Amino acid sequence: MPDDSTGATMVQVRVLGVAIDSDGQHIILLKPVGEAQTVGNVLPIVVGEQEANSTLIALSGETPPRPLSHDLMNTLLDSVGAHVERVDVTRIDQGTFYAEITLGMAAGSLVLDARPSDSVALALRAGAPVFVADDVLEAEGIPAAMVEPGRDVEETTDGEQSLDEFKDFLEHVDPEDFQS
């Protein structure tokens, strides 16, 4: 699907889970919606520990005892009559991923520059779709077969179970696979 603002072809993705690589970095894993488990690529994006925890909480459906930053962002948007329409991971430049959050408001849409880590965590809370530029997925993705050997992660709704599967994957992957 072409994106109106950039003309880039965008692919809708789902969050497979959050993992920790051998260097202790947190990674969110994004996979195109509707693809078979061993087809195509999975996009790993390094995120901070707080964003990783926030994403895991959203994936598990848990409610923290106090609102996290992404919960607060979502509440603020709701309070002013805005909502997250979509999140787009648009490009990578010198190893840094860039994203945009499209907000829907009474006055129209507003596109904001944002980090993918915050964007994805917010999209999960808002129930908004996440898209990745096709060229980013092709350039930075790793083969899905490496991530999902013989398992249908799409059927997994428990974020903790997904995390265990990805920890197993990361024990057997070379960290250079995640570098551009």
Side-chain angles (χ1 to χ4, degrees):
M1 140 190 311
D3 177 57
D4 294 335
S5 64
T6 65
T9 301
M10 304 301 287
V11 177
Q12 187 172 2
V13 295
R14 67 187 188 278
V15 180
L16 288 178
V18 177
I20 299 174
D21 71 8
S22 60
D23 293 330
Q25 295 179 314
H26 295 81
I27 299 169
I28 56 172
L29 297 163
L30 305 176
K31 177 152 179 41
V33 170
E35 279 190 352
Q37 64 185 21
T38 58
V39 174
N41 290 328
V42 172
L43 182 66
I45 299 177
V46 175
V47 299
E49 182 177 357
Q50 290 180 345
E51 293 83 359
N53 288 333
S54 183
T55 299
L56 277 174
I57 289 169
L59 283 172
S60 70
E62 295 177 27
T63 302
R66 300 280 300 146
L68 300 175
S69 297
H70 302 103
D71 299 309
L72 177 60
M73 284 190 257
N74 198 37
T75 300
L76 285 170
L77 291 172
D78 287 343
S79 297
V80 297
H83 66 279
V84 179
E85 288 181 353
R86 66 185 283 157
V87 163
D88 297 302
V89 178
T90 57
R91 65 188 175 98
I92 184 167
D93 185 16
Q94 298 181 5
T96 300
F97 288 93
Y98 291 81
E100 296 175 344
I101 300 171
T102 302
L103 299 178
M105 304 176 300
S109 293
L110 175 65
V111 178
L112 303 172
D113 180 37
R115 299 182 313 170
S117 56
D118 290 322
S119 302
V120 169
L122 181 58
L124 288 171
R125 282 167 173 71
V130 178
F131 295 85
V132 172
D134 188 53
D135 59 339
V136 171
L137 185 60
E138 286 301 315
E140 300 299 320
I142 60 173
M146 291 176 61
V147 177
E148 301 177 292
R151 295 202 178 196
D152 189 355
V153 177
E154 225 170 44
E155 291 179 7
T156 302
T157 57
D158 182 347
E160 196 63 39
Q161 183 178 354
S162 293
L163 180 59
D164 291 340
E165 292 171 6
F166 294 122
K167 283 181 182 177
D168 181 58
F169 156 71
L170 289 172
E171 287 178 15
H172 302 95
V173 71
D174 184 346
E176 291 178 4
D177 292 339
F178 295 102
Q179 296 179 358
S180 52

